[in-house]
Amino acid sequence: MLQTFMYAPGDVRVEEAPVPHVNKPTDAVIRVVRACVCGSDLWPFRGIEKPYENGPVTMGHEYIGEIVELGTSVTGLKKGDFVVGSFATSDGTCPICQAGYPSDCVHRDFVGAAQAQYLRVSNAEGTLVRVGDGSTPDEDLFPSLLAASDVFGTGYYGAWAADVTPHTDTAVVVGDGAVGLEAVLSAKMLGAKHVIAMSRHEDRAAIAREFGADQIVAERGEEGIARIKQLTDGLGAQSVVEAVGTQQSMTQAIGSTRRGGSVGFVGVSHDQSIDGEMLFFSAVHVHGGPAPVRRWLPEFVDKIMHREINPGRVFTEELPLEKAAQAYRDMDERREIKVMLNPWA
Amino acid sequence: MLQTFMYAPGDVRVEEAPVPHVNKPTDAVIRVVRACVCGSDLWPFRGIEKPYENGPVTMGHEYIGEIVELGTSVTGLKKGDFVVGSFATSDGTCPICQAGYPSDCVHRDFVGAAQAQYLRVSNAEGTLVRVGDGSTPDEDLFPSLLAASDVFGTGYYGAWAADVTPHTDTAVVVGDGAVGLEAVLSAKMLGAKHVIAMSRHEDRAAIAREFGADQIVAERGEEGIARIKQLTDGLGAQSVVEAVGTQQSMTQAIGSTRRGGSVGFVGVSHDQSIDGEMLFFSAVHVHGGPAPVRRWLPEFVDKIMHREINPGRVFTEELPLEKAAQAYRDMDERREIKVMLNPWA
């Protein structure tokens, strides 16, 4: 089968690899119908993380597909089911899963080989969600179902962790990458009265508006904070999503939050260091980490199947899997927001 | 009148100073019945903060007393009322107060001259709480009423910010200073089934036990984290209070918290820097800052007047105000946990 590997910064190759099979009775193997490239895949592509230091590594953690092989202990799913799963696998039964944090399951594995024709998924029973009755959904729903696997789930978690509710007057999203855009959509879903997207790219701002952003703020850093305060009676916003993962974006997020408000942080952290005194006197809540996507996945799938939301809008390009390297370059060079891969095209 | 000043590290003096009067129609002046020394007063005493760089500064932010002068716009209180107030003044009406964060009121002042015979309090209407019917309560209740002004309120906020509820199996308190001990009492009040105090001083551990601690853990740092995990099925505690304010204590607190759990941080931060990646993958909630004491002050006063709680137990010594310097030394050298000052002895 075809599988995507990263060899070095900027060096992505699609090569022949053995088809995976069930190893443990709790595994499933799926025929990947669509996969995609994540913003977090760009960190190693840019050499900021180096997982390939000991050899090439498989890539990809977002997927929809059809179950082709099932471990003997998996009873809630059947071969042929069309499914979507989280980027982190979870048993669904441990205390951490039960508390609502499946992406921190004590038996968690991070999916890491989804940019391929087939994928083995551990903890299948707790991880995979059957789509509708299990038959293949309309193809125009593929992008949104795929988005639910991570990028939308992560944006949603950002808004949820920032405590967005119908009582939220103003929610701000720092970061106009795909996760940030999904956070805009999510903040609206969760009931924020007024959503401000911080963006300086017109193509991204346009999607933010489609997703319900009431206002776009182009300023960054101290100027961005000042602008948000100006728009919120000098107080800052009740809820702010940090969807980048840099020192600057975190500082901007905390600074834009009113005292007692909440920062949801879902940008995978890189070289961030949060000053304790600044955090203390900001009096904000900070919550984030790997999004517990599986918690909400059935609800997401339901809304997508009923065409109530269209989170797949962040995919601006679709390529055959064999052109994965181009997908990385297109995202790295910001020609595309997010690229979907078809392993069978 | 007598007023406490700090001149330099280790140099505390009680000197004659003018009696304060009402400046603004929202002020009150109280005759201070008891004040005390706060753990945070030891930071400048030790030279870690240097507020006295431009001359001696008045000290003290915890107080109970009797109103002797009232601004014309204060209608909810009257001269002669026995009152307790927060270390931060608040108008009680701004959006931040209304959201439950009075210590971040947009009109906040930090009280800073309470180790004295008289004290001017701004935002009196929103800040001061009448004790009972306003007459002087039994003297044995003074310590607990005084504790409500800050140290108990701050410990309570730590437990509340760590999301302690009757659903909490295990709450951990890092720090066995007066705030940490009050956090133990508070975690029990808020319903935690099992409270672990991290302490290596027998006098403090004894009070922690009196306050309801089920277990004492003496280990610190990585060993302390390992011990907490051992006591919590390898997961860490749902709720952890950080009541010290150092890098080590914050790392210990986050490390002792289970994924998805909550850290309440109320140690005033000094040279803390929180690693973003560690925080991200810990998946915890972090919330803290200056405790919104006023939010719960009526409830605290009620419980104290009904002798349901005894947070004043953390005072291990009472001295006349004129011996304030000794009070600082006794706390700095850990001979006493917390020292109450009587301005009229």
Side-chain angles (χ1 to χ4, degrees):
Chain A
M1 69 161 193
L2 295 177
Q3 167 77 57
T4 306
F5 294 89
M6 191 175 288
Y7 276 72
D11 184 1
V12 169
R13 305 181 202 175
V14 178
E15 299 180 334
E16 276 296 325
V19 171
H21 293 284
V22 160
N23 274 345
K24 289 190 284 187
T26 46
D27 288 346
V29 173
I30 66 172
R31 177 182 177 274
V32 178
V33 172
R34 292 291 186 282
C36 56
V37 181
C38 181
S40 67
D41 294 334
L42 298 179
W43 294 106
F45 189 78
R46 292 168 177 163
I48 295 164
E49 291 173 1
K50 298 183 192 298
Y52 34 66
E53 282 190 317
N54 298 312
V57 291
T58 61
M59 298 295 297
H61 53 264
E62 300 159 282
Y63 54 97
I64 52 175
E66 184 192 328
I67 295 177
V68 292
E69 224 183 288
L70 261 185
T72 51
S73 75
V74 184
T75 59
L77 299 160
K78 61 180 195 308
K79 270 192 227 179
D81 276 349
F82 193 96
V83 294
V84 55
S86 163
F87 65 91
T89 77
S90 50
D91 64 19
T93 60
C94 84
I96 306 297
C97 283
Q98 291 290 307
Y101 290 87
S103 291
D104 285 289
C105 173
V106 299
H107 294 119
R108 167 183 71 186
D109 289 312
F110 283 115
V111 175
Q115 292 164 9
Q117 290 183 308
Y118 293 92
L119 171 70
R120 179 172 51 238
V121 178
S122 69
N123 299 305
E125 181 100 39
T127 303
L128 299 173
V129 173
R130 183 190 291 119
V131 173
D133 62 2
S135 60
T136 302
D138 293 343
E139 196 169 329
D140 69 322
L141 295 176
F142 287 177
S144 286
L145 290 166
L146 177 61
S149 185
D150 179 356
V151 64
F152 172 53
T154 296
Y156 188 88
Y157 178 53
W160 179 88
D163 197 29
V164 177
T165 73
H167 300 290
T168 305
D169 284 323
T170 304
V172 169
V173 177
V174 178
D176 62 1
V179 170
L181 295 172
E182 303 286 18
V184 169
L185 173 63
S186 303
K188 274 289 164 184
M189 286 171 66
L190 287 164
K193 296 185 185 81
H194 194 77
V195 176
I196 301 173
M198 302 191 86
S199 172
R200 48 175 58 187
H201 301 95
E202 192 34 54
D203 56 335
R204 292 152 192 260
I207 296 181
R209 281 191 203 93
E210 271 183 55
F211 275 174
D214 300 285
Q215 198 155 6
I216 307 292
V217 164
E219 291 88 344
R220 284 187 192 174
E222 287 302 320
E223 286 179 9
I225 293 170
R227 182 80 181 110
I228 296 299
K229 292 210 165 156
Q230 189 188 32
L231 293 168
T232 51
D233 297 327
L235 301 175
Q238 286 157 294
S239 296
V240 178
V241 181
E242 192 289 290
V244 183
T246 62
Q247 183 73 26
Q248 189 197 23
S249 61
M250 191 59 157
T251 304
Q252 184 173 323
I254 293 174
S256 299
T257 310
R258 82 181 206 183
R259 291 170 178 174
S262 297
V263 176
F265 94 109
V266 289
V268 180
S269 176
H270 284 84
D271 294 328
Q272 278 178 340
S273 166
I274 303 165
D275 180 71
E277 192 169 349
M278 182 269 284
L279 183 62
F280 185 87
F281 286 103
S282 75
V284 301
H285 301 70
V286 175
H287 186 38
V293 170
R294 179 60 182 81
R295 173 179 187 160
W296 298 291
L297 205 42
E299 181 185 331
F300 295 161
V301 168
D302 193 62
K303 284 187 194 296
I304 291 164
M305 293 296 282
H306 287 91
R307 296 176 188 275
E308 291 171 22
I309 53 173
N310 185 23
R313 179 67 182 85
V314 295
F315 291 105
T316 52
E317 183 176 48
E318 179 174 343
L319 292 174
L321 177 64
E322 63 188 61
K323 295 199 174 170
Q326 184 189 327
Y328 278 76
R329 284 194 301 271
D330 286 348
M331 284 174 62
D332 179 45
E333 293 161 19
R334 293 178 185 272
R335 279 190 298 275
E336 304 293 342
I337 295 175
K338 192 168 174 76
V339 183
M340 188 157 69
L341 299 171
N342 183 344
W344 306 96
Chain B
M1 68 161 193
L2 295 176
Q3 167 77 56
T4 305
F5 294 89
M6 192 175 289
Y7 276 73
D11 185 1
V12 169
R13 306 182 201 173
V14 178
E15 299 180 332
E16 277 295 325
V19 171
H21 293 283
V22 159
N23 274 346
K24 288 190 286 189
T26 47
D27 289 345
V29 172
I30 65 172
R31 176 181 176 277
V32 178
V33 172
R34 292 291 185 284
C36 55
V37 180
C38 181
S40 68
D41 294 334
L42 298 180
W43 294 107
F45 189 76
R46 292 167 177 163
I48 295 165
E49 291 172 2
K50 300 183 190 297
Y52 35 65
E53 282 189 319
N54 298 314
V57 291
T58 61
M59 297 298 296
H61 53 265
E62 299 159 281
Y63 54 95
I64 52 176
E66 184 192 327
I67 295 177
V68 292
E69 222 183 288
L70 261 186
T72 50
S73 75
V74 185
T75 58
L77 299 160
K78 61 181 196 308
K79 268 193 228 181
D81 276 349
F82 193 95
V83 293
V84 54
S86 163
F87 66 91
T89 77
S90 51
D91 63 20
T93 60
C94 84
I96 306 296
C97 283
Q98 291 291 308
Y101 289 87
S103 291
D104 285 289
C105 172
V106 299
H107 293 120
R108 167 183 71 187
D109 289 311
F110 283 114
V111 174
Q115 292 164 10
Q117 290 184 308
Y118 293 92
L119 170 70
R120 179 171 51 236
V121 179
S122 69
N123 298 304
E125 181 100 39
T127 302
L128 298 173
V129 173
R130 183 190 292 120
V131 173
D133 63 2
S135 59
T136 302
D138 293 344
E139 196 169 328
D140 68 322
L141 295 175
F142 287 178
S144 286
L145 291 166
L146 177 61
S149 185
D150 178 356
V151 65
F152 172 53
T154 295
Y156 187 88
Y157 178 54
W160 179 88
D163 197 29
V164 177
T165 73
H167 299 289
T168 306
D169 284 322
T170 304
V172 169
V173 177
V174 178
D176 62 0
V179 169
L181 295 172
E182 303 286 17
V184 169
L185 173 64
S186 303
K188 275 289 166 185
M189 286 171 66
L190 286 164
K193 295 183 186 80
H194 194 78
V195 176
I196 301 172
M198 302 190 87
S199 172
R200 49 175 56 187
H201 301 96
E202 193 35 52
D203 56 333
R204 290 152 193 260
I207 297 179
R209 282 192 204 92
E210 270 183 55
F211 275 174
D214 299 285
Q215 199 155 6
I216 307 293
V217 165
E219 291 88 344
R220 285 188 192 173
E222 287 302 319
E223 286 181 9
I225 293 171
R227 183 82 180 108
I228 295 298
K229 292 211 164 156
Q230 190 187 32
L231 293 168
T232 52
D233 296 327
L235 300 175
Q238 286 158 292
S239 296
V240 178
V241 181
E242 193 289 290
V244 183
T246 63
Q247 183 73 25
Q248 190 197 23
S249 61
M250 191 59 156
T251 304
Q252 183 173 324
I254 293 174
S256 299
T257 309
R258 82 181 206 182
R259 291 170 178 172
S262 297
V263 175
F265 94 110
V266 289
V268 179
S269 176
H270 283 84
D271 292 328
Q272 277 179 340
S273 165
I274 303 166
D275 179 69
E277 192 169 349
M278 183 271 283
L279 183 62
F280 185 86
F281 286 102
S282 75
V284 301
H285 301 69
V286 175
H287 185 39
V293 170
R294 178 61 181 80
R295 173 178 186 161
W296 298 293
L297 206 41
E299 181 185 330
F300 295 160
V301 168
D302 193 61
K303 283 186 193 298
I304 292 164
M305 294 296 281
H306 287 90
R307 297 177 188 274
E308 292 170 22
I309 53 173
N310 184 23
R313 180 65 183 84
V314 295
F315 291 106
T316 52
E317 183 177 49
E318 178 174 343
L319 292 174
L321 176 65
E322 63 188 59
K323 295 199 174 169
Q326 183 188 327
Y328 278 75
R329 284 193 302 272
D330 286 348
M331 284 175 61
D332 179 44
E333 293 161 20
R334 293 179 183 273
R335 278 189 299 274
E336 304 293 343
I337 295 175
K338 193 168 174 77
V339 183
M340 188 158 69
L341 299 171
N342 182 345
W344 306 96

